[in-house]
Amino acid sequence: MKYIDEYRDGRIARGLAAEIHQLVTHPCVLMEICGGQTHTIMRYGLDELLPKEVELVHGPGCPVCVTPLETIDKAIALAALPEVTLVSYGDMLRVPGSCSDLFRAKASGGDVRVVYSPLEGLKIARSNPGRKVVFLAIGFETTAPANAMAVWQAQREGLPNFFMLASHVLVPPAIRLLLRSPVNRVQAFIAPGHVCTVMGYRQYEELVSEFHVPIVVGGFEPVDLLEAILMLVRQLEHGEAKLENQYVRSVTRLGNIPAQDMVERVFEIADQKWRGIGRIPLSGLRLRAEFAAHDADKIFDMKEVHTEEPAECISALVLQGLKKPTDCSAFGSRCTPENPLGAPMVSAEGACAAYYTYRRHKVLA
Ligand code: SF4
């Protein structure tokens, strides 16, 4: 299949790995931001093809993993209201809140439905005018345009029973936080190709010049990632810090301007709490005041909830590249995809789930 087969070609992948072996002379720590990239690395064993000098750590780019406990608890509380239909993507249903999850809320009689897009949520609202339909909208810049479009459309139609519980996060402020941390180990980043398809890569130019850090926008197939790693290692070996784009078949500097305009029209930038990491200034999106009639946070009287992660879960350290999932004492025993303690074990994009799926036979043997 065009644009797939050539990016999964083992001969090309081994050639790129050999180039990295030849080039590298110093130890380096690279972070892939996106959980989809983490899964490709684990699935194809790309880290095992690399020289021992190149260490890959896994970033906070799994949207389910960084959605705050408070948001999950609010969604569970909303699902318990008799007049509410709570709609969301399937993998949000198993994410543990502080005491329960949306699956259990559904099993207890809550009207919780799985959808594949926010526009399906709109359809449910149109055909059920007596229900208050709340869409749990999470994600990075990638999903924000479709969510913005749903709210904009609801406003345009005068659809009074569609609401959004929004928890959107932005990548560049999270990279800035990591780089400012006194314990940061990451020397170069693979930026997330899907996010950059929407937003372009101009937002990363400031980070490169402010922190003198190499950043390469990378795709999601094995050859994409090995090529991005080669580009980063080459920069580090030459003492350079540039922004480069490996994912040229999808990403441009400016990105998808109409999609960005839709996001800008509906959302505004705000401080945002990230699960496991804490509050990051100006790292999220909230609905603008003119869309308050569709803002679940404003319409429903929900108590402000304060929650704690299970003490055993070290996901905060995993998401900052300071620990690997296998460093966690609960990995594969008290925490599995069937009984997750933390969000990175739930999501299809979570780093702990990736290690469990592709490495547990080696690690737990
Ligand atoms: S293995 Fe489970 S408990 Fe440990 S960090 Fe990952 S999600 Fe948290």
Side-chain angles (χ1 to χ4, degrees):
M1 196 188 301
K2 192 163 164 56
Y3 297 131
I4 295 288
D5 291 345
E6 63 268 47
Y7 291 95
R8 292 182 182 171
D9 186 316
R11 193 181 45 81
I12 300 173
R14 282 188 292 277
L16 288 164
E19 271 193 73
I20 297 167
H21 275 266
Q22 278 173 7
L23 192 61
V24 74
T25 59
H26 298 92
C28 57
V29 179
L30 317 180
M31 175 181 274
E32 82 282 356
I33 291 291
C34 177
Q37 294 168 330
T38 306
H39 269 251
T40 299
I41 288 165
M42 290 293 121
R43 180 176 174 193
Y44 291 94
L46 303 185
D47 52 334
E48 295 175 333
L49 289 177
L50 297 174
K52 63 176 183 338
E53 289 87 350
V54 180
E55 182 186 354
L56 298 180
V57 294
H58 320 299
C62 154
V64 172
C65 305
V66 297
T67 300
L69 268 175
E70 288 84 348
T71 302
I72 307 294
D73 285 351
K74 277 183 190 175
I76 293 167
L78 285 170
L81 297 175
E83 71 274 23
V84 166
T85 297
L86 195 291
V87 294
S88 190
Y89 301 122
D91 52 359
M92 290 308 292
L93 267 59
R94 292 193 318 111
V95 179
S98 51
C99 306
S100 185
D101 58 41
L102 283 167
F103 250 133
R104 291 194 181 104
K106 185 175 171 64
S108 308
D111 185 3
V112 179
R113 304 188 198 180
V114 172
V115 291
Y116 293 96
S117 84
L119 298 178
E120 275 185 68
L122 276 184
K123 266 193 209 162
I124 294 171
R126 279 187 209 110
S127 41
N128 296 275
R131 306 287 301 162
K132 293 179 176 172
V133 176
V134 180
F135 180 72
L136 173 55
I138 65 136
F140 284 86
E141 294 92 325
T142 332
T143 51
N147 291 342
M149 172 67 94
V151 173
W152 182 80
Q153 183 70 22
Q155 181 102 317
R156 204 170 77 128
E157 287 179 30
L159 197 60
N161 64 327
F162 179 81
F163 309 94
M164 184 163 282
L165 180 60
S167 180
H168 268 294
V169 285
L170 305 172
V171 171
I175 296 183
R176 176 169 276 110
L177 180 98
L178 292 174
L179 287 168
R180 282 189 179 152
S181 164
V183 291
N184 173 49
R185 301 174 63 227
V186 182
Q187 292 159 275
F189 291 87
I190 303 175
H194 290 162
V195 165
C196 294
T197 299
V198 175
M199 300 304 293
Y201 58 78
R202 58 184 159 168
Q203 293 184 314
Y204 296 82
E205 291 166 353
E206 206 181 304
L207 289 168
V208 168
S209 56
E210 185 180 341
F211 295 96
H212 195 73
V213 62
I215 299 181
V216 171
V217 180
F220 295 83
E221 297 298 336
V223 167
D224 286 321
L225 286 161
L226 285 167
E227 189 174 27
I229 292 165
L230 175 62
M231 292 160 84
L232 289 174
V233 169
R234 190 177 287 135
Q235 286 196 45
L236 288 169
E237 286 290 332
H238 295 168
E240 296 171 334
K242 297 187 290 196
L243 180 58
E244 295 183 286
N245 181 17
Q246 180 279 328
Y247 202 29
V248 288
R249 66 189 185 282
S250 183
V251 173
T252 61
R253 180 173 181 272
L254 297 183
N256 182 336
I257 301 289
Q260 293 167 29
D261 287 347
M262 178 52 72
V263 173
E264 168 79 21
R265 193 182 297 187
V266 174
F267 290 113
E268 61 189 3
I269 292 177
D271 294 350
Q272 171 74 26
K273 188 170 179 191
W274 295 52
R275 187 171 190 169
I277 296 177
R279 190 161 295 280
I280 306 180
L282 305 178
S283 69
L285 297 172
R286 68 176 172 216
L287 288 168
R288 290 187 180 277
E290 52 265 48
F291 296 96
H294 299 283
D295 189 340
D297 264 318
K298 300 219 160 53
I299 297 299
F300 295 91
D301 186 19
M302 287 176 288
K303 287 195 300 269
E304 210 35 65
V305 276
H306 295 286
T307 51
E308 296 286 337
E309 293 288 341
E312 243 182 325
C313 180
I314 59 162
S315 62
L317 301 174
V318 173
L319 296 174
Q320 295 173 74
L322 298 172
K323 294 275 185 195
K324 298 276 171 59
T326 44
D327 296 326
C328 175
S329 60
F331 176 83
S333 54
R334 289 172 303 287
C335 182
T336 63
E338 291 73 34
N339 290 298
L341 274 183
M345 189 56 98
V346 177
S347 164
E349 294 190 9
C352 299
Y355 273 72
Y356 187 85
T357 304
Y358 303 114
R359 290 290 158 84
R360 72 177 186 279
H361 306 295
K362 285 185 188 171
V363 177
L364 301 174

